[in-house]
């Protein structure tokens, strides 16, 4: 769980480095994810570049 405990900042940095975003208030059980619109935008950019 990225929230809480002594290593909270390091875990949150890891989740952010993976491209995830915190949804809602930070705290135990908070949801992390990546907006579908961002995933699709990256795919569209890669498709346009021929990757």
């Amino acid at each position: 769980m990225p929230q809480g405990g002594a290593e909270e900042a390091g875990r949150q940095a890891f989740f952010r480095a993976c491209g995830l975003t915190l949804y809602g208030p930070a705290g135990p059980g908070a949801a992390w994810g990546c907006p579908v619109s961002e995933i699709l935008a990256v795919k569209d950019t890669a498709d346009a570049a021929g990757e």
Side-chain angles (χ1 to χ4, degrees):
M1 179 170 65
Q3 298 83 2
E7 300 297 324
E8 176 180 357
R11 288 191 303 272
Q12 287 187 10
F14 172 77
F15 274 65
R16 286 189 178 94
C18 292
L20 301 175
T21 302
L22 176 64
Y23 289 95
W32 285 78
C34 183
V36 173
S37 59
E38 288 182 24
I39 296 169
L40 295 175
V42 170
K43 182 187 179 316
D44 289 344
T45 302
D47 287 348
E51 296 176 5

